[in-house]
Amino acid sequence: MSQIAFSSVPTWARPGDPSQMTSPMPTGSSYVLVGVGDVAETLVRWESDLPPRATRRIHSDTDSAATLLAGVLADAVVGVRVWITAEVGSALALRAVALGAGLEDDEIAVAPVNTGQGVVVQVFCAHCRAVTRTTAAVDDVVPCAGCRRDLLVYHHVSRRTGQYLGFMVDAETAQPLCPGTESVEETVS
């Protein structure tokens, strides 16, 4: 059974039916509204709900949105708030950019548009450091794009990268990949 309730996976990214956020509370002096996918209506609604303040809207694919967000936040001043709406995998990556720029959790609002099956997430391989893009969920097993090991998608998300941790599912029972790398037990007296 998964320990996701006690994990680093944000509540809005967990499987199931997370609470749906309509519009975040406008607590900042300026806003960056970021969307990936079919979220134009949400971005327009958020912008119209805001008091007349400095607002920047970014609506693009994940990689382009991340680059644009990093650029905007490099020039931001105290009081900026980032509101993100995207599929979970994209939202995790964009949240990581905002955290990397120095924002705190209470300065970032995330409204995922899809938390069900078929959402693309990134899984970091603990063995070869490759990143695998997949539609797998927590506790699924996926082949690593780098070393081809079967990785268990673990219930840990890196705040720095927005990627799930993956490690070899049968590490305790698997045979060594290279001859001569098996462990040697020594008798301790």
Side-chain angles (χ1 to χ4, degrees):
M1 180 166 172
S2 177
Q3 296 292 313
I4 199 160
F6 308 104
S7 73
S8 61
V9 178
T11 54
W12 51 262
R14 294 177 184 171
D17 188 27
S19 60
Q20 294 297 320
M21 176 176 40
T22 52
S23 289
M25 291 298 297
T27 60
S29 59
S30 65
Y31 297 87
V32 182
L33 311 179
V34 186
V36 174
D38 188 20
V39 296
E41 285 183 25
T42 301
L43 293 173
V44 168
R45 186 182 77 247
W46 282 354
E47 194 166 19
S48 68
D49 289 348
L50 287 171
R53 296 182 183 161
T55 302
R56 172 80 187 262
R57 188 180 344 159
I58 299 171
H59 188 197
S60 188
D61 62 275
T62 306
D63 294 335
S64 298
T67 301
L68 292 168
L69 177 60
V72 169
L73 292 178
D75 297 329
V77 295
V78 173
V80 69
R81 301 295 184 260
V82 174
W83 294 359
I84 300 168
T85 183
E87 286 192 347
V88 170
S90 297
L92 287 168
L94 294 167
R95 174 179 168 256
V97 170
L99 290 168
L103 273 73
E104 298 293 332
D105 283 322
D106 62 344
E107 298 171 317
I108 305 166
V110 179
V113 294
N114 184 0
T115 59
Q117 298 296 331
V119 174
V120 176
V121 295
Q122 295 182 8
V123 179
F124 174 82
C125 178
H127 307 283
C128 74
R129 306 181 62 79
V131 176
T132 303
R133 293 177 57 89
T134 181
T135 57
V138 171
D139 290 333
D140 284 351
V141 177
V142 299
C144 175
C147 64
R148 305 304 301 164
R149 287 180 171 95
D150 288 331
L151 302 178
L152 174 71
V153 180
Y154 195 60
H155 53 80
H156 170 74
V157 170
S158 168
R159 289 174 52 85
R160 188 179 60 79
T161 65
Q163 301 164 348
Y164 283 87
L165 174 64
F167 59 86
M168 194 165 112
V169 68
D170 57 353
E172 292 85 16
T173 59
Q175 296 298 314
L177 295 176
C178 301
T181 60
E182 56 270 0
S183 62
V184 177
E185 292 186 26
E186 295 182 25
T187 307
V188 179
S189 27

